[in-house]
Amino acid sequence: MGTRVLGEMDKPLISRHRVDSDGSLAEPPSGAPKVGILGSGDFARSLATRLVGSGFSVVVGSRNPKRTAGLFPSSTQVTFQEEAVRSPGVIFVAVFREHYSSLCGLSDQLAGKILVDVSNPTEQEHLQHRESNAEYLASLFPTCTVVKAFNVISAWTLQAGPRDGNRQVPICSDQPEAKRIISEMVHAMGFMPLDMGSLASAREVEAMPLCLLPAWKVPALLALGLFVCFFAYNFIRDVLQPYVQEGKNKFYKLPVSVVNTTLPCVAYVLLSLVYLPGVLAAALQLQRGTKYRRFPDWLDHWLQHRKQIGLLSFFCATLHALYSFCLPLRRSHRYDLVNLAVKQVLTNKSHIWVEEEVWRMEIYLSLGVLALGTLSLLAVTSLPSIANSLNWREFSFVQSTLGFVALVLSTLHTLTYGWTRAFEESRYKFYLPPTFTLTLLVPCVVILAKGLFLLRCFRLRLAKIRRGWEKDSAVKFMLPNDSILTEKTSHV
């Protein structure tokens, strides 16, 4: 079957010039390539709608065509399976694996045709069967060419179009010509084909929808571990110490106050962990004198997870801001205000104003807002739709330069919060230092290292290495002017 590309990558699901007055899809052009679909479920209906909207003539094979005909576009021909597979050269098999054997009676009619397997196994089925669904289908129909495709695309994405979902469609098959034909169909439907090789890769392709946020597992565990550690630390200092040493019951602080004290610690440390691997990578390159040696696996994985760590940092910082807005709404806060007013009356103090504390809080809040705003910009530019609209220099400026600015603002925000508390003996409860002093350790190391790399001796050497210079190389290497170097050198 020769399939021609009929539209642009981003064309709408339903062309305006092919819509009947009743809103249903009009009949496709007489020369439209014909495609068959075996199955009448939700995915088959969405697939048929997308194919018709892309200019294909679709015939659907169903065990009960009268009952299911009204669920498909009016231009789709819904008939019995035997009739549906006669003329199309490409047949989409949209049935579950356990129903493949029911199609064996169509072997003669399917001979020589391309079968596109769109099924997905459950996690249990994936572990139970050694061969993929596509390979199993190929074993049942040896005279057909089986292609694995469209299994990572949801029915909603097919209905709404690629702009509202994932654009990539992994394709694998043992026949290059079959992959070419299906790739052209993928293009015509507005998606991007991704060649995954032979049909042996189908098991890997079928495992893709089974993965639940694989890139987020390590960052999420890291964030959870930091939260548990800081929460336990703050619990000991703010709740347990007053209860043990002073007999005060402050367990009411657990749901809001202790959580709100923990969240900025987690966000701050996570943000510093976004830029620490870049510092370590730069130090390794300086020490080795080359960029052509692989980083250790742990550092390589760390570098690949920076985006997820940064987004989790932004999430914790946003929760901290929301919790902070809720603090005055607590009943305990209102009681504290009343008690403070009564105490002021009893001590005959008509005016309480500490200039230093006023300025500290003003600066503290302002820096916090600026840090959160910068983090918001970093989070927005991490979205694929935004990142794709930026060139490399713009993206590097936002993620590297503005990210470092966010880290500096967060550090200043933490320092103004602590102010002189780190030097007050009363702040060391159970001889434990204030929490903010612990959070400053990693960020300060990152900031100092970044500042060190800005020195001319390190900056020029690092720039030469990243442009291909090697310490043990006999080739003479000339650097461009400093002004050009500053503009063109990318950051780790």
Side-chain angles (χ1 to χ4, degrees):
M1 168 185 169
T3 305
R4 57 191 176 89
V5 179
L6 297 173
E8 299 294 333
M9 289 288 292
D10 292 328
K11 67 180 180 180
L13 175 60
I14 302 175
S15 303
R16 293 184 180 179
H17 66 280
R18 293 183 50 237
V19 178
D20 286 332
S21 58
D22 61 352
S24 61
L25 288 172
E27 291 294 329
S30 57
K34 183 172 288 188
V35 178
I37 299 177
L38 293 177
S40 54
D42 294 336
F43 190 86
R45 293 195 294 269
S46 299
L47 181 62
T49 304
R50 186 68 193 174
L51 285 168
V52 170
S54 301
F56 293 91
S57 175
V58 180
V59 54
V60 177
S62 173
R63 290 173 295 181
N64 195 337
K66 291 184 178 180
R67 186 180 64 182
T68 58
L71 302 175
F72 287 86
S74 60
S75 58
T76 302
Q77 179 186 355
V78 182
T79 181
F80 290 100
Q81 294 178 345
E82 294 80 3
E83 299 178 10
V85 299
R86 287 178 182 173
S87 55
V90 175
I91 309 293
F92 285 86
V93 181
V95 298
F96 292 106
R97 178 187 177 118
E98 56 265 29
H99 300 308
Y100 286 174
S101 57
S102 65
L103 304 176
C104 291
L106 306 175
S107 298
D108 295 337
Q109 296 97 314
L110 292 174
K113 298 181 183 294
I114 297 176
L115 301 183
V116 183
D117 178 37
V118 299
S119 67
N120 279 316
T122 63
E123 189 170 356
Q124 183 178 1
E125 291 172 343
H126 184 71
L127 297 175
Q128 179 182 357
H129 302 294
R130 292 187 176 180
E131 62 179 356
S132 64
N133 289 0
E135 291 173 308
Y136 175 60
L137 183 65
S139 67
L140 294 178
F141 300 93
T143 59
C144 300
T145 301
V146 176
V147 179
K148 187 70 185 184
F150 288 99
N151 66 301
V152 301
I153 302 296
S154 66
W156 163 253
T157 303
L158 285 172
Q159 287 276 10
R163 292 179 178 177
D164 295 328
N166 186 17
R167 298 175 66 95
Q168 288 189 339
V169 177
I171 299 174
C172 61
S173 176
D174 292 332
Q175 297 295 330
E177 179 63 19
K179 284 195 291 186
R180 183 192 65 80
I181 293 174
I182 302 304
S183 295
E184 290 182 358
M185 292 185 64
V186 171
H187 271 298
M189 296 168 68
F191 296 96
M192 296 178 61
L194 179 64
D195 192 344
M196 297 293 291
S198 66
L199 199 62
S201 302
R203 184 171 175 81
E204 178 185 351
V205 175
E206 291 176 2
M208 291 179 179
L210 300 178
C211 298
L212 180 61
L213 304 175
W216 288 84
K217 184 177 181 180
V218 173
L221 290 175
L222 174 64
L224 181 61
L226 287 173
F227 183 86
V228 170
C229 292
F230 280 116
F231 186 87
Y233 191 85
N234 290 323
F235 168 76
I236 294 173
R237 284 179 41 84
D238 299 341
V239 178
L240 193 59
Q241 187 270 344
Y243 182 77
V244 173
Q245 294 187 344
E246 303 174 19
K248 295 181 179 179
N249 187 347
K250 293 192 176 182
F251 285 88
Y252 67 88
K253 288 187 173 183
L254 287 175
V256 178
S257 182
V258 177
V259 172
N260 190 48
T261 307
T262 302
L263 285 171
C265 301
V266 178
Y268 186 34
V269 173
L270 286 177
L271 181 61
S272 65
L273 293 179
V274 172
Y275 296 97
L276 180 58
V279 170
L280 297 177
L284 273 177
Q285 289 178 338
L286 286 172
Q287 187 265 330
R288 294 172 173 177
T290 179
K291 70 172 185 178
Y292 297 109
R293 289 179 58 186
R294 284 183 56 86
F295 294 131
D297 289 340
W298 60 269
L299 181 57
D300 192 47
H301 290 305
W302 193 352
L303 289 166
Q304 293 175 12
H305 285 101
R306 287 182 296 177
K307 174 183 176 180
Q308 289 78 15
I309 296 175
L311 290 175
L312 287 173
S313 172
F314 171 69
F315 174 71
C316 292
T318 304
L319 287 181
H320 169 55
L322 295 176
Y323 268 93
S324 298
F325 281 119
C326 295
L327 291 179
L329 302 178
R330 298 175 303 155
R331 182 67 62 179
S332 58
H333 179 74
R334 299 180 185 181
Y335 288 153
D336 286 339
L337 289 179
V338 173
N339 291 334
L340 180 62
V342 172
K343 183 179 180 180
Q344 182 179 353
V345 171
L346 293 177
T347 55
N348 293 323
K349 291 183 178 180
S350 59
H351 184 70
I352 298 179
W353 182 276
V354 182
E355 189 75 16
E356 181 181 343
E357 280 297 302
V358 171
W359 275 100
R360 183 184 72 85
M361 287 301 298
E362 294 292 325
I363 297 174
Y364 163 72
L365 292 175
S366 178
L367 289 171
V369 172
L370 290 175
L372 182 60
T374 310
L375 274 178
S376 303
L377 184 59
L378 293 175
V380 169
T381 53
S382 296
L383 298 174
S385 57
I386 304 298
N388 292 338
S389 65
L390 303 175
N391 60 39
W392 168 245
R393 186 177 180 184
E394 294 168 341
F395 183 79
S396 177
F397 171 77
V398 172
Q399 294 294 323
S400 181
T401 306
L402 289 187
F404 183 68
V405 170
L407 183 62
V408 172
L409 289 173
S410 300
T411 302
L412 295 176
H413 176 66
T414 305
L415 290 173
T416 52
Y417 169 80
W419 208 249
T420 59
R421 298 179 184 180
F423 308 104
E424 298 174 5
E425 185 178 353
S426 60
R427 300 291 179 178
Y428 289 77
K429 302 176 181 180
F430 278 156
Y431 301 102
L432 297 175
T435 312
F436 73 90
T437 59
L438 301 181
T439 62
L440 284 167
L441 295 177
V442 178
C444 287
V445 169
V446 174
I447 293 174
L448 290 175
K450 284 277 192 178
L452 190 64
F453 290 150
L454 290 177
L455 297 178
R456 181 179 176 84
C457 55
F458 293 110
R459 175 169 53 86
L460 294 182
R461 183 179 177 86
L462 192 59
K464 287 198 302 180
I465 291 173
R466 290 173 176 172
R467 293 172 66 89
W469 177 84
E470 294 185 85
K471 180 172 58 176
D472 300 327
S473 175
V475 179
K476 188 176 181 181
F477 189 89
M478 300 296 295
L479 272 177
N481 295 332
D482 287 354
S483 59
I484 301 177
L485 183 67
T486 303
E487 293 183 358
K488 299 296 183 183
T489 302
S490 62
H491 302 280
V492 175

